């Protein structure tokens, strides 16, 4: 059976990603001074205008506006004539403290409250933190690529990252920060067969012709990252298909934190619970539990217990233990999905406090997650394969 699957990515200069990076840079700035900071920071951007808003409770002292301007500058928005620049953008900061009603559930979980009422009062330290909100979170892994990720999203990220590299290096000095890419992969009987279609749109200066841009972007970006074994004479390319793309970034389209959650995860291959990551400290299970779900799935696949794995976790606000755990191996498991669910609960502590400690999530590591995906990159703790040997005993 033949079918096609498509995933997209965007560059760091895409307006939504500008906002994600600012939100996570603010988070990192607070965590670097106070690892216990509670942060929920969001941004919205448009022509020469940025709003930074949310709830932050911390002992840290951070110049939030300065953090934002540094991020914008690093991305490459340094020319005021294009309608968005680090030195001219007007920034409004509106940050409040975390709601005391939410803090009550996070600081003292339902389990801790019940334990303190009991006679022995022998409470588990990992029950201390309750989930920061209700919600559902998904994780995914497959043996389709060496990253244990779906191929379409891996290639889309690599293509957009390469586009940024040739812009910042000056190799293609007419490129500007905004851009997005898309890769369609043909599958046959569930296995990768070939690349069907490639789409890449990049913002550029008015001095370059569409013909030159298409030729050089194809040679220096697309051809450098797409595996030659998957490309054939029938692979289609759409490079700046509308032609001109001079007006871009927040001047061409407004940006918003958390609007690229499928780009951030698995490119649509796996369901998404709906919660964004950027700007949220790890007590928010939208972020920490999704990272843990990826960690669990990746280790299950790498151990050989399955070829593909999807996990759903669900939490209630103020409760430390998940209210449900679901494993779906799409028929590839060496054991039943129910047996794997039991193994997951036994081998992985899914309480927020335990997740934070296991994955070392109080460190300021989040800004680098905000572009080119949160998964499939070896420099993150949730990508480690340190549970593989523990899981192999179940084979």
């Amino acid at each position: 059976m033949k079918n096609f699957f498509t995933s997209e990515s965007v560059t760091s200069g895409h307006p939504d990603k500008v906002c994600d990076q600012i939100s996570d840079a603010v988070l990192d700035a607070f965590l670097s001074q106070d690892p216990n900071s509670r942060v929920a920071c969001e941004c919205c951007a448009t022509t020469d205008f940025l709003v930074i808003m949310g709830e932050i409770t911390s002992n840290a002292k951070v110049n939030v506006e300065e953090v934002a301007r540094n991020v914008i500058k690093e991305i490459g928005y340094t020319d005021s004539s294009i309608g968005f620049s680090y030195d001219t953008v007007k920034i409004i900061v509106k940050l409040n403290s975390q709601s005391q009603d939410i803090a009550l559930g996070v600081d003292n979980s339902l389990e801790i409250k019940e334990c303190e009422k009991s006679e022995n009062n022998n409470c588990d330290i990992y029950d201390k933190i309750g989930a920061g909100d209700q919600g559902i979170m998904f994780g995914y892994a497959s043996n389709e690529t060496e990253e244990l990720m779906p191929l379409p999203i891996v290639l889309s990220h690599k293509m957009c990252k390469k586009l940024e590299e040739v812009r910042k290096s000056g190799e293609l000095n007419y490129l500007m920060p905004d851009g997005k890419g898309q890769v369609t992969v043909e599958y046959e009987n569930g296995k990768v067969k070939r690349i069907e279609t490639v789409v890449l749109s990049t913002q550029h200066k008015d001095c370059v012709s569409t013909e030159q841009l298409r030729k050089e972007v194809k040679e220096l970006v697309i051809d450098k990252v797409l595996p030659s074994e998957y490309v054939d004479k029938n692979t289609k390319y759409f490079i700046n298909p509308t032609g001109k793309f001079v007006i871009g970034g927040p001047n061409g389209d407004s940006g918003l934190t958390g609007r690229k959650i499928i780009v951030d995860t698995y490119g649509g291959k796996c369901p998404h619970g709906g919660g964004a990551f950027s700007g949220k400290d790890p007590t928010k299970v939208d972020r920490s539990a999704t990272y843990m779900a990826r960690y669990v799935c990746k280790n299950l696949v790498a151990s050989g217990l399955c070829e593909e794995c999807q996990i759903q976790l669900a939490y209630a606000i103020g409760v430390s233990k998940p209210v449900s755990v679901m494993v779906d191996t799409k028929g590839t498991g060496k054991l039943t999905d129910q047996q794997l669910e039991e193994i997951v609960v036994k081998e992985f502590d899914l309480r927020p406090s335990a997740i934070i400690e296991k994955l070392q999530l109080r460190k300021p590591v989040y800004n680098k997650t905000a572009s080119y995906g949160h998964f499939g990159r070896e420099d993150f703790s949730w990508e480690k394969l340190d549970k593989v040997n523990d899981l192999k005993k179940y084979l």
Side-chain angles (χ1 to χ4, degrees):
M1 183 181 72
K2 181 170 71 173
N3 66 295
F4 300 90
F5 194 87
T6 303
S7 295
E8 72 160 345
S9 181
V10 298
T11 66
S12 68
H14 185 281
D16 293 331
K17 277 292 148 200
V18 171
C19 293
D20 283 343
Q21 288 166 93
I22 292 170
S23 293
D24 272 335
V26 170
L27 170 63
D28 280 353
F30 277 93
L31 290 178
S32 65
Q33 294 183 38
D34 178 5
N36 293 310
S37 296
R38 297 282 171 79
V39 179
C41 177
E42 299 184 23
C43 303
C44 61
T46 187
T47 303
D48 267 335
F49 188 73
L50 177 73
V51 178
I52 303 172
M53 56 195 170
E55 300 80 43
I56 297 180
T57 300
S58 175
N59 292 319
K61 303 299 181 184
V62 174
N63 186 331
V64 172
E65 180 176 330
E66 182 180 14
V67 170
R69 292 191 189 277
N70 287 339
V71 170
I72 296 167
K73 183 178 182 180
E74 174 61 26
I75 291 170
Y77 285 109
T78 58
D79 182 356
S80 60
S81 69
I82 67 172
F84 192 80
S85 180
Y86 80 100
D87 54 345
T88 58
V89 61
K90 180 180 179 180
I91 299 177
I92 293 177
V93 179
K94 181 62 176 175
L95 295 168
N96 302 307
S97 299
Q98 184 182 63
S99 160
Q100 288 301 309
D101 292 342
I102 294 175
L104 282 172
V106 178
D107 294 333
N108 290 285
S109 71
L110 177 65
E111 289 90 340
I112 285 291
K113 292 171 184 174
E114 292 180 345
C115 175
E116 290 174 346
K117 292 177 183 177
S118 64
E119 293 181 0
N120 59 23
N121 199 25
N122 186 22
C123 304
D124 189 330
I125 188 172
Y126 290 125
D127 277 334
K128 175 64 177 174
I129 296 178
D133 200 354
Q134 70 174 51
I136 55 176
M137 299 85 207
F138 287 91
Y140 181 84
S142 77
N143 60 7
E144 188 172 304
T145 62
E146 65 179 14
E147 297 91 348
L148 301 185
M149 290 281 289
L151 183 62
I153 190 65
V154 168
L155 295 181
S156 296
H157 283 323
K158 287 182 177 180
M159 193 166 62
C160 288
K161 190 172 184 180
K162 184 65 175 177
L163 187 65
E164 179 171 359
E165 288 174 2
V166 299
R167 170 177 65 86
K168 287 190 170 182
S169 70
E171 193 170 6
L172 295 180
N173 59 10
Y174 53 78
L175 294 182
M176 295 169 72
D178 198 359
K180 61 198 311 183
Q182 187 172 282
V183 176
T184 301
V185 173
E186 178 183 337
Y187 291 82
E188 190 166 23
N189 297 321
K191 303 297 182 183
V192 173
K193 184 178 181 183
R194 54 183 291 276
I195 295 172
E196 167 70 11
T197 306
V198 179
V199 182
L200 188 59
S201 296
T202 177
Q203 186 186 13
H204 60 88
K205 296 177 182 177
D206 216 359
C207 60
V208 64
S209 68
T210 300
E211 292 73 22
Q212 179 187 350
L213 182 146
R214 286 174 175 166
K215 178 179 181 295
E216 293 182 342
V217 166
K218 170 76 162 51
E219 293 174 353
L220 297 177
V221 178
I222 296 174
D223 291 346
K224 296 292 185 181
V225 299
L226 296 189
S228 58
E229 64 269 27
Y230 294 141
V231 176
D232 59 31
K233 63 181 182 180
N234 295 316
T235 299
K236 304 178 188 68
Y237 300 93
F238 297 97
I239 302 170
N240 279 31
T242 62
K244 194 174 181 180
F245 183 6
V246 173
I247 300 172
N251 185 37
D253 190 11
S254 62
L256 186 66
T257 298
R259 197 155 53 184
K260 287 291 176 283
I261 56 178
I262 300 303
V263 171
D264 285 342
T265 52
Y266 307 100
K269 189 72 172 181
C270 169
H272 197 293
F277 304 149
S278 291
K280 294 179 180 177
D281 76 80
T283 65
K284 280 75 171 173
V285 283
D286 281 339
R287 184 165 219 161
S288 55
T290 303
Y291 288 174
M292 189 64 175
R294 163 64 178 172
Y295 173 72
V296 173
C297 286
K298 190 175 182 183
N299 277 270
L300 285 173
V301 171
S303 72
L305 282 168
C306 52
E307 297 178 12
E308 183 178 7
C309 184
Q310 176 184 301
I311 285 180
Q312 185 202 60
L313 305 176
Y315 291 83
I317 186 169
V319 181
S320 65
K321 294 183 177 65
V323 298
S324 71
V325 178
M326 183 276 291
V327 174
D328 181 3
T329 62
K330 314 295 182 181
T332 69
K334 297 289 174 51
L335 303 173
T336 68
D337 289 346
Q338 184 175 353
Q339 288 173 318
L340 290 174
E341 287 169 10
E342 294 170 357
I343 290 170
V344 168
V345 172
K346 181 179 179 181
E347 294 289 339
F348 298 90
D349 195 332
L350 302 175
R351 293 172 293 179
S353 185
I355 293 172
I356 290 169
E357 180 175 308
K358 172 64 181 176
L359 301 182
Q360 299 180 315
L361 296 181
R362 293 201 186 277
K363 296 182 177 181
V365 299
Y366 297 105
N367 189 31
K368 62 183 178 180
T369 70
S371 296
Y372 310 115
H374 294 242
F375 307 122
R377 299 162 62 183
E378 293 303 322
D379 46 348
F380 298 139
S381 61
W382 48 92
E383 295 292 321
K384 290 182 179 179
L385 294 174
D386 53 1
K387 288 289 289 184
V388 168
N389 289 334
D390 292 337
L391 295 172
K392 282 184 175 179
K393 66 188 177 187
Y394 295 102
L395 287 169

